Amino acid sequence: PAPSYFEAANMRSCAVFENNLFVANKNGKVHVLDATTGEYLRDLDATGIWGGDITLTDIKCLEDGTVMASNCRVTATDAGTFKVYYWDDLSAAPKVLIDYGVDKLTLPNGSAKVSIRAFDYVGSIESGNLYAITADAAKDAVYVIQIPVIDGTPGDPVFHAVGGYATETSARIRVDADETGFWFTAKGKSYYYKFESASACTYYNATASKAYSNAFETFSIGDTNYYVTVDYLDTGSGAITTPFVALYTYEKWGLWST
């Protein structure tokens, strides 16, 4: 059986590698389940995982099986650090890849109240780029933070100004494998941003026009691109109800299909 702390309210994100399903628990645990049967297998070593407004909030598996997870840093103050951990294998202790505070995360507009709840990573632990999306305290300026990793050492962040999309602090990001652009969510809409043209296209979830997109993933099977998201209907009074999963196909530079 799963441990007592494996509760729905604590589960923040998940990722799959081969037949292992990794689930990030906001209390700092990473649970490992059999991806086929759902059977609980074990927890990853949590030695040294602490800090953040939520201890763990997002998780990702790299192509070589490395597991990465990050904490949550919100905008209430300019204190606290954004941390990213990684595990080389299922029996390894976690290592800290990134531990950045206000000295590294002050936005170009001067705001130090940076909110980061999710990340994406392209490459390997030795050489790659970490991406996170954030907004300033007023939520009227959105930036993508790109942190290059060279020889296993993270460098200074690069800030890409995305524009004013009134993003909620739960905005998520998923970057194309070729790093030409990325998806992100903001206020119930999904956007695709092209690095080269520094422009964003709006993709509106027509089946959930009042939904607040939360977790989402993009993937391809053959020549077909898919976007799957968890949405919640907004009753108009601030209450969020009726969670559901929506699956779309899309053309990379076009509009939603079905």
Side-chain angles (χ1 to χ4, degrees), residues 13 39 49-50 55-56 66 75 121-122 131 136 154 160 166 173 175 191 193 209 226 238:
S13 186
E39 178 187 0
I49 295 181
W50 67 277
T55 308
L56 288 181
T66 300
T75 60
Y121 194 90
V122 179
Y131 296 89
D136 63 6
H160 302 273
I173 181 172
V175 180
Y191 299 89
Y193 182 90
S209 59
Y226 294 92

Side-chain angles (χ1 to χ4, degrees), residues 231-254:
D231 282 331
Y232 302 84
L233 294 181
D234 185 354
T235 63
S237 61
I240 297 176
T241 61
T242 318
F244 62 94
V245 175
L247 176 66
Y248 303 91
T249 61
Y250 71 92
E251 297 297 328
K252 186 171 181 181
W253 307 113

Side-chain angles (χ1 to χ4, degrees), residues 134-208:
T134 185
D136 63 6
K139 299 181 183 177
D140 60 3
V142 180
Y143 294 89
V144 164
I145 303 172
Q146 177 184 352
I147 301 176
V149 176
I150 301 173
D151 294 330
T153 301
D156 290 332
V158 177
F159 296 91
H160 302 273
V162 177
Y165 291 94
T167 186
E168 286 297 308
T169 54
S170 59
R172 304 182 73 83
I173 181 172
R174 287 296 179 260
V175 180
D176 289 337
D178 59 8
E179 299 180 86
T180 56
F182 59 89
W183 292 93
F184 70 99
T185 56
K187 270 293 189 182
K189 292 184 180 181
S190 303
Y191 299 89
Y192 186 81
Y193 182 90
K194 303 176 187 178
F195 280 117
E196 183 178 1
S197 60
S199 62
C201 303
T202 304
Y203 294 85
Y204 202 78
N205 294 349
T207 60

Side-chain angles (χ1 to χ4, degrees), residues 54-153:
I54 298 176
T55 308
L56 288 181
T57 189
D58 203 9
I59 191 165
K60 180 178 178 66
C61 294
L62 303 186
E63 291 185 356
D64 63 0
T66 300
V67 180
M68 302 179 70
S70 69
N71 69 356
C72 169
R73 182 185 191 273
V74 299
T75 60
T77 69
D78 59 6
T81 63
F82 172 58
K83 285 186 172 183
V84 179
Y85 309 89
Y86 69 96
W87 292 258
D88 292 317
D89 55 59
L90 295 183
S91 61
K95 301 175 184 177
V96 177
L97 177 66
I98 293 171
D99 186 359
Y100 281 179
V102 64
D103 58 323
K104 294 284 190 179
L105 296 178
T106 298
L107 298 177
N109 67 1
S111 175
K113 295 178 174 60
V114 176
S115 169
I116 303 175
R117 291 179 182 257
F119 78 99
D120 200 4
Y121 194 90
V122 179
S124 68
I125 288 297
E126 289 298 314
S127 177
N129 282 296
L130 182 138
Y131 296 89
I133 193 163
T134 185
D136 63 6
K139 299 181 183 177
D140 60 3
V142 180
Y143 294 89
V144 164
I145 303 172
Q146 177 184 352
I147 301 176
V149 176
I150 301 173
D151 294 330
T153 301

